[in-house]
């Protein structure tokens, strides 16, 4: 069973705790609950609608529009006897299709960087975040529905623009959407009751911290589990078009439009049932377009006050190349990592999987991902395991994937050379990749200063996107130099070992959580206000809001 949303479970009494994960530093005793009693309690349907919220036609059109440089202009990149190379007219000369795709990705990443560092931090003020998410979602949906017009190879230029729009708006939507869940977790009935018991002195600070952390995990796990269910549904819906229309010129267009329709069906409810949760008013003299960079610059100047938050962001940037996954708004859970891409290339290099076989692999991977969320949730509650330990286990298992691929450099007996290995990859990696995703964002929620969720989750999303652009280029250079696809796994293995060591040795989640609370209090009282054990608002640090 999924973790119950809107539950009324009894508040935990002092259990056998994971002491390392929930130890409260003595000098932070008054900073425990960045929560406003004036904000509405999260309702069951609000939380369900949030969880329900839970491409690339451009490259296909470019390949159809290009020609084989070996056979000359007018030839087809897809024809019998094609050399495998494909170029497009570009700036008076030609450029390979894959290079054009990389250019589009690079330009899209630049736009995402500007948005997530300029506009995303401004979403912490007023109701701007609510309307920003709606606006970006509508733009992304409009671009996907417009795919119906991209039916001729000659329109590859328009397809490139459409691809960049979808890529950009999707990345921004994901960051904005994920930034909402820490605040929801602070305002559920469970968290509110837990707070009241803590304020009355009925439970110690450690139990309060553990309960609030479990609430964040519960929502994060449910988001990921529902994304897996949605992904399976979308795969089956894709088959309902791809099989009967196999060979139809516009079938890819139909699939993209259907995915957009699925997003409308599942995502609309959040904008209907979302309760107003405005942040503080924009400071006098500030503008939405400028305050983002000012806040980020201030945080960077004060990085010593948030050492574990920034260390985690750096390590996540390194690790995202190996195992990072994205929660697709349409319901897919699609691997976007360099390692996953490299495994897929190895699969195509040695084997010829049919459409149905690839679909079965996808369903297997999503099914094990769904199961992992249920298993981890109940294991965490029963054994009181902290989120960092589960995240480390998931990332270590994910690091074994490039290690396994490295073996393929020296032998053909294993190392992604056989059919059974790809089925094993779907089962094992499917189980642990979902754990990686849900617990990576749970840890980010722990380390983000309350009231600055959009700003720090914007940086979190930026780390993810940066790795998805830089990693493939590095791997491509390695493969071009050596001529062996499997050599790329060596670089990824070293990268992921380094990232795991950084997180394991240099990221202290309890201390980072309290550093974030203290920093937020120093900026503006965590936006919601700091409460002492008596439940009274502590304004002592709010007067210094905005000061370094």
């Amino acid at each position: 069973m999924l973790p119950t949303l809107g539950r009324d479970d009894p508040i935990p009494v002092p259990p056998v705790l994971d002491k390392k994960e929930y130890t409260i530093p003595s000098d932070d005793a008054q900073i425990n609950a960045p929560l406003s009693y004036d904000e509405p309690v999260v309702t069951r349907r609000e939380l369900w609608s949030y969880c329900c919220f839970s491409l690339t036609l451009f490259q296909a059109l470019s390949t159809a529009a290009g020609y084989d440089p070996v056979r000359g202009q007018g030839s087809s990149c897809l024809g019998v006897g094609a050399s495998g190379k494909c170029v497009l007219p570009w700036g008076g000369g030609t450029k390979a299709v894959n290079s054009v795709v990389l250019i589009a990705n690079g330009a899209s990443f630049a736009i995402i960087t500007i948005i997530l560092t300029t506009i995303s931090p401004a979403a912490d003020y007023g109701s701007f975040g609510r309307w920003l998410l709606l606006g970006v979602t509508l733009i992304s949906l409009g671009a996907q529905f417009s795919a119906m017009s991209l039916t001729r190879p000659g329109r590859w230029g328009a397809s490139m623009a459409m691809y960049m729009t979808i890529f950009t708006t999707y990345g921004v939507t994901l960051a904005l959407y994920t930034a909402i869940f820490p605040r929801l977790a602070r305002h559920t009935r469970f968290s509110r009751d837990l707070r009241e018991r803590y304020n009355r002195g009925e439970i110690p600070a450690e139990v309060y911290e553990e309960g609030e952390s479990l609430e964040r995990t519960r929502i994060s796990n449910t988001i990921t589990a529902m994304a897996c269910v949605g992904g399976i549904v979308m795969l089956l819906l894709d088959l309902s078009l791809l099989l009967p229309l196999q060979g139809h010129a516009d079938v890819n267009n139909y699939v993209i439009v259907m995915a957009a329709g699925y997003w409308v069906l599942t995502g609309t409810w959040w904008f209907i049932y979302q309760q107003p949760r405005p942040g503080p008013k924009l400071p006098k003299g500030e503008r939405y377009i400028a305050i983002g960079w000012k806040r980020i610059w201030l945080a960077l100047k004060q990085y010593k006050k948030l050492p574990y938050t920034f260390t985690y962001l750096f390590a996540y940037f390194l690790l995202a190349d190996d195992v990072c996954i994205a929660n697709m708004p349409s319901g897919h859970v699609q691997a976007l990592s360099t390692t996953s891409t490299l495994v897929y290339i190895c699969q195509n290099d040695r084997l010829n999987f049919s459409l149905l076989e690839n679909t079965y692999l996808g369903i297997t991977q999503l099914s094990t991902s769904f199961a992992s969320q249920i298993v981890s949730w109940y294991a965490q509650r029963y054994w009181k395991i902290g989120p960092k330990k589960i995240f480390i286990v998931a990332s270590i298992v994910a690091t074994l994937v490039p290690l396994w691929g490295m073996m393929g450099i020296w032998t053909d007996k294993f190392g992604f050379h056989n059919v059974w290995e790809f089925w094993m990859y779907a089962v094992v990696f499917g189980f642990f990749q979902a754990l990686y995703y849900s617990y990576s964002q749970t840890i980010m929620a722990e380390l983000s200063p309350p009231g600055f969720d959009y700003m720090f989750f914007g940086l979190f999303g930026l780390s993810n996107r940066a790795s998805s652009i830089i990693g493939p280029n590095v791997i491509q250079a390695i493969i071009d130099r050596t001529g062996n696809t499997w050599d790329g796994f060596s670089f990824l293995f070293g990268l992921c070992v380094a990232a795991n060591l950084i997180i394991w040795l240099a990221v202290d989640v309890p201390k980072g959580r309290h550093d974030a609370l203290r920093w937020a209090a120093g900026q503006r009282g965590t936006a919601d206000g700091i409460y002492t054990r008596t439940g009274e608002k502590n304004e002592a640090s709010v007067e210094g809001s905005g000061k370094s």
Side-chain angles (χ1 to χ4, degrees):
M1 295 293 291
L2 281 171
T4 306
L5 292 181
R7 58 178 182 165
D8 295 315
D9 292 358
I11 304 301
V13 295
V16 178
L17 293 172
D18 185 338
K19 296 293 185 182
K20 292 183 179 180
E21 294 271 1
Y22 301 109
T23 300
I24 309 298
S26 58
D27 61 337
D28 288 335
Q30 82 279 12
I31 300 180
N32 283 304
L35 184 87
S36 172
Y37 286 98
D38 298 327
E39 188 161 329
V41 176
V42 177
T43 64
R44 183 185 293 268
R45 68 181 182 182
E46 181 183 17
L47 205 49
W48 271 112
S49 64
Y50 174 74
C51 293
C52 286
F53 189 82
S54 33
L55 275 160
T56 73
L57 181 63
F58 159 54
Q59 186 166 1
L61 283 178
S62 300
T63 301
Y67 62 90
D68 187 338
V70 176
R71 304 175 69 187
Q73 196 161 3
S75 60
S76 171
C77 297
L78 305 174
V80 178
S83 67
K85 299 179 180 179
C86 196
V87 298
L88 282 164
W90 185 274
T94 62
K95 190 173 288 290
V97 167
N98 287 339
S99 297
V100 176
V101 174
L102 288 175
I103 291 172
N105 286 346
S108 299
F109 174 67
I111 298 171
I112 290 174
T113 301
I114 293 172
I115 295 175
L116 292 183
T117 55
T118 304
I119 302 177
S120 182
D124 288 313
Y125 296 90
S127 299
F128 184 58
R130 179 177 189 168
W131 300 110
L132 180 61
L133 177 59
L134 176 60
V136 176
T137 300
L138 290 175
I139 294 172
S140 185
L141 286 171
Q144 292 182 57
F145 281 120
S146 299
M148 282 304 300
S149 65
L150 305 175
T151 57
R152 295 200 304 270
R155 294 180 178 176
W156 71 267
S159 179
M160 178 176 180
M162 203 81 69
Y163 168 83
M164 291 175 60
T165 301
I166 295 171
F167 185 93
T168 301
T169 53
Y170 165 67
V172 175
T173 298
L174 181 62
L176 295 174
Y177 168 73
T178 310
I180 297 171
F181 98 88
R183 189 163 190 167
L184 292 179
R186 293 195 294 268
H187 293 281
T188 61
R189 171 54 60 191
F190 180 86
S191 294
R192 187 67 57 88
D193 291 343
L194 192 68
R195 166 61 59 81
E196 291 173 356
R197 289 194 64 181
Y198 169 72
N199 287 338
R200 291 195 299 265
E202 296 176 8
I203 56 175
E206 289 88 348
V207 174
Y208 169 76
E209 289 264 318
E210 181 202 25
E212 193 174 66
S213 179
L214 282 173
E215 191 71 346
R216 282 189 286 265
T217 299
R218 180 176 71 95
I219 296 175
S220 181
N221 283 4
T222 306
I223 293 169
T224 308
M226 292 189 67
C228 295
V229 173
I232 294 173
V233 172
M234 273 307 304
L235 283 173
L236 296 176
L237 289 175
D238 288 350
L239 284 180
S240 70
L241 286 178
L242 292 170
L243 290 179
L245 297 178
Q246 193 171 9
H248 194 287
D250 299 331
V251 65
N252 287 338
N253 304 60
Y254 299 153
V255 170
I256 292 176
V257 170
M258 183 175 63
Y262 184 82
W263 188 2
V264 171
L265 178 64
T266 58
T268 301
W269 305 109
W270 168 243
F271 298 107
I272 295 174
Y273 293 125
Q274 178 186 13
Q275 297 187 85
R277 303 181 187 280
K281 293 182 179 179
L282 198 68
K284 283 187 178 181
E286 295 290 355
R287 297 182 178 181
Y288 282 108
I289 197 69
I291 195 167
W293 279 102
K294 291 182 179 180
R295 285 298 180 187
I296 291 175
W297 177 242
L298 176 64
L300 291 174
K301 287 198 302 181
Q302 299 182 351
Y303 75 93
K304 290 184 179 180
K305 296 182 179 181
L306 295 169
Y308 302 111
T309 302
F310 284 107
T311 300
Y312 177 70
L313 285 171
F314 173 71
Y316 180 77
F317 164 76
L318 298 178
L319 197 57
D321 253 341
D322 179 54
V323 66
C324 179
I325 64 170
N327 183 6
M328 296 285 283
S330 61
H332 288 78
V333 176
Q334 177 184 358
L336 294 178
S337 67
T338 308
T339 297
S340 298
T341 303
L342 202 53
V343 171
Y344 184 73
I345 291 173
C346 293
Q347 175 184 318
N348 287 341
D349 185 59
R350 291 300 173 93
L351 306 165
N352 185 21
F353 276 57
S354 68
L355 173 64
L356 276 176
E357 287 173 321
N358 277 316
T359 302
Y360 294 150
L361 280 170
I363 291 175
T364 300
Q365 189 165 332
L366 288 166
S367 299
T368 56
S369 293
F370 175 80
S372 73
Q373 298 306 292
I374 299 174
V375 171
S376 66
W377 167 246
Y378 287 105
Q380 187 177 6
R381 291 190 69 190
Y382 183 79
W383 285 297
K384 308 300 176 187
I385 306 171
K388 179 183 173 181
K389 285 191 171 80
I390 297 179
F391 175 73
I392 285 292
V393 170
S395 60
I396 288 176
V397 172
T399 303
L400 296 178
V401 175
L403 176 62
W404 185 271
M406 281 175 57
M407 301 299 102
I409 299 175
W410 303 290
T411 179
D412 290 337
K413 294 182 179 180
F414 56 89
F416 297 117
H417 293 286
N418 308 286
V419 172
W420 65 267
E421 292 179 286
F422 296 103
W423 283 102
M424 180 187 70
Y425 172 80
V427 172
V428 177
F429 190 65
F431 189 92
F432 288 97
Q433 71 167 354
L435 291 180
Y436 172 91
Y437 174 69
S438 60
Y439 284 92
S440 68
Q441 67 182 17
T442 298
I443 293 176
M444 191 65 231
E446 300 265 353
L447 299 176
S448 295
F452 296 86
D453 303 298
Y454 282 105
M455 182 175 85
F456 280 90
F457 270 89
L459 296 176
F460 184 63
L462 197 60
S463 298
N464 183 357
R465 287 294 165 183
S467 67
S468 69
I469 297 298
I470 298 172
N473 285 281
V474 175
I475 295 301
Q476 188 63 52
I478 293 173
I479 294 173
D480 287 346
R481 182 175 60 84
T482 65
N484 186 352
T485 301
W486 279 257
D487 284 336
F489 286 114
S490 303
F491 169 78
L492 291 172
F493 177 69
L495 197 69
C496 296
V497 168
N500 275 302
L501 289 175
I502 291 172
I503 293 175
W504 184 261
L505 301 175
V507 177
D508 189 316
V509 175
K511 289 182 180 179
R513 179 168 53 238
H514 289 279
D515 287 344
L517 288 167
R518 190 188 297 109
W519 187 86
Q523 296 306 305
R524 60 166 185 249
T526 71
D528 294 325
I530 296 297
Y531 291 82
T532 63
R533 179 178 285 281
T534 63
E536 297 176 351
K537 199 169 185 177
N538 178 4
E539 301 287 357
S541 61
V542 181
E543 295 177 1
S545 175
K547 296 179 182 180
S548 57

